[in-house]
Amino acid sequence: MKNILIVWTDNWPWDSRIQKQIDSLLKNGIEVHLACKNTNFLPIRECLGNLFIHRIHNTFKNKLITNIFSIPFFLNPIWFFHLLKIILEVSPKVIIVRDLPLVLPCIVIAKMLNIKIILDMAENFPEMMKFNKKYNSNFISRFLIKNLKIYKHIEKIAVTSVDHIYAVVEESSKRLQEEYKLSDSKISIVSNTPTVLIPYNNKNKETKPLNLIYTGNIDAEFRGIEQVIDAFEYLQDYHVVFNLIGDGPMKNLYIEKVKNLKLENINFLGYMEHNNLLNFLTTQDIGIVPHKKCRYIDTTIPNKLFDYMLYSLPVIVSSAKPLKRIVEEENCGYVYENSEDLINTLKYIIDNREELSIKSKNGYKAVINKYNWKNDEKKMLSVVESLIKG
């Protein structure tokens, strides 16, 4: 049987993008092996049909020590030997490695054993690390793990050494081609699109108040949540509610800000399981992706945009390149440039709710016809099959 190794830098379960890849590979008769960390102390080997999970063996039972020794970065020998052991054992035809932290050991092993390798660039990793405060605590972690210059060098080595690259959006592919002189044929756009398509839900858009929904992490300033909260200070006389689903280290800070501003139309609903979250979307009127325009956000695309569109929600997005391009091309929502523009956009929508029905239909149609996993799956599998054939 044909087999694939997917290298994931975190615990399993769960990640929506990897789950989609696993399901697609299994459905097409390919045996899947998944290498991952194990800071949750789960079984080091797990077999789920033709999915085989290989978790790092934890010598230490202390959570803190285990976290330190399991940090996924290119100089960690524990990860190198974990990957080498799996690859020698299962002899995968192709390795798919997610993002940059573990790509170098995968390249070394793949070149040694003549195995094809795909880099799944779900993020612009060097730019993303600018916002990651997790490794700011000491000099060693800042130098080894969060050194942006090192990651730019790793990225250059990676994109020129792997056999193929999955990018999540056109802007990411264009950046790689321009920065590293890569050919278009080396990159496939495999986006963060939904798998399950549902009937269009033509709910009553005239209900009061207007429900605005944000889903996702509440963990960094670049997500733009504070900008939305600030806008709501000027919308207290309007019938609009802002609902936030998600969690993160900045959540309590924003809750305190909302209390200080005495805003009663903002609700923090906490974490929801994925299925419950999708069901909740059916009760909402408009989805927002307020991620601030920057080099990172200009080269990635969040799942939530397509989830909103699938569940017939018109969208409000920042002017980050991919968000703006998709929303304007599909006429499925509104784009704002700055805080004042966001306030005016929300006021306009509240006063012109009849437009929402048209934009929601456009967004749904775009997901059904274009932005869905069925289309992205074809591109993903085409690359895998061609590399397996050699």
Side-chain angles (χ1 to χ4, degrees), residues 36 44 52 58 66 78 99 150 152 156 158 170 184 192 200 285 290 312 338:
C36 60
I44 60 173
F52 299 87
N58 293 320
T66 299
I78 291 175
D99 291 319
I150 289 178
K152 284 301 290 184
K156 183 177 181 179
E170 291 175 18
D184 180 58
N192 291 323
Y200 173 75
D285 298 301
S312 73
N338 50 45

Side-chain angles (χ1 to χ4, degrees), residues 83-344:
L83 294 170
L84 180 60
K85 181 182 177 182
I86 298 168
I87 291 168
L88 289 174
E89 177 186 334
V90 306
S91 300
K93 302 298 183 185
V94 177
I95 299 171
I96 302 175
V97 57
R98 171 72 169 267
D99 291 319
L100 295 182
L102 295 173
V103 70
L104 288 191
C106 288
I107 289 172
V108 170
I109 298 170
K111 298 302 180 185
M112 285 169 48
L113 302 175
N114 195 27
I115 299 171
K116 300 296 184 182
I117 183 168
I118 299 169
L119 173 59
D120 182 16
M121 293 193 71
E123 310 286 359
N124 181 340
F125 206 83
E127 292 297 326
M128 184 185 74
M129 287 298 284
K130 289 181 180 179
F131 302 100
N132 191 331
K133 299 178 181 179
K134 186 176 179 180
Y135 303 111
N136 285 351
S137 57
N138 59 72
F139 171 78
I140 295 175
S141 62
R142 287 197 303 272
F143 178 76
L144 288 179
I145 303 172
K146 201 185 172 181
N147 191 313
L148 304 183
K149 290 183 179 179
I150 289 178
Y151 272 110
K152 284 301 290 184
H153 286 299
I154 292 174
E155 184 177 74
K156 183 177 181 179
I157 294 169
V159 299
T160 54
S161 300
V162 299
D163 297 284
H164 201 81
I165 299 165
Y166 292 149
V168 292
V169 74
E170 291 175 18
E171 286 78 3
S172 178
S173 175
K174 185 177 179 181
R175 176 184 77 87
L176 295 173
Q177 291 178 57
E178 291 177 351
E179 286 189 24
Y180 302 111
K181 311 303 179 186
L182 301 180
S183 67
D184 180 58
S185 61
K186 190 171 184 175
I187 307 170
S188 295
I189 296 172
V190 179
S191 198
N192 291 323
T193 49
T195 53
V196 181
L197 304 183
I198 61 173
Y200 173 75
N201 179 17
N202 190 15
K203 52 184 168 287
N204 180 12
K205 300 294 183 182
E206 297 304 319
T207 57
K208 299 288 185 179
L210 186 79
N211 284 287
L212 179 69
I213 181 74
Y214 168 87
T215 66
N217 291 326
I218 307 175
D219 59 351
E221 292 178 5
F222 76 80
R223 297 197 184 274
I225 295 170
E226 187 168 19
Q227 193 173 46
V228 184
I229 293 172
D230 289 338
F232 266 68
E233 186 178 2
Y234 299 90
L235 296 168
Q236 294 186 67
D237 296 330
Y238 288 78
H239 295 292
V240 58
V241 175
F242 182 31
N243 297 310
L244 295 95
I245 296 178
D247 216 334
M250 300 190 75
K251 178 181 170 183
N252 289 336
L253 182 69
Y254 292 148
I255 289 175
E256 191 64 29
K257 181 181 179 72
V258 167
K259 286 181 180 178
N260 291 336
L261 292 174
K262 298 179 180 179
L263 302 178
E264 297 181 357
N265 54 350
I266 296 181
N267 303 312
F268 291 86
L269 303 177
Y271 172 79
M272 279 190 192
E273 291 292 337
H274 192 64
N275 287 338
N276 293 336
L277 184 154
L278 295 179
N279 288 333
F280 187 79
L281 291 182
T282 63
T283 70
Q284 302 300 288
D285 298 301
I286 192 162
I288 188 165
V289 186
H291 299 180
K292 293 181 178 180
K293 179 178 173 59
C294 60
R295 284 175 60 87
Y296 169 42
I297 301 301
D298 274 347
T299 52
T300 190
I301 198 75
N303 300 28
K304 64 173 72 71
L305 174 67
F306 303 120
D307 287 340
Y308 295 156
M309 292 162 66
L310 176 61
Y311 279 75
S312 73
L313 296 183
V315 293
I316 301 174
V317 300
S318 72
S319 58
K321 289 180 181 178
L323 294 170
K324 181 177 181 179
R325 173 178 58 80
I326 292 171
V327 169
E328 289 184 344
E329 283 180 358
E330 306 302 337
N331 188 26
C332 61
Y334 306 86
V335 180
Y336 67 91
E337 299 287 341
N338 50 45
S339 298
E340 184 179 355
D341 196 19
L342 174 58
I343 295 168
N344 291 332

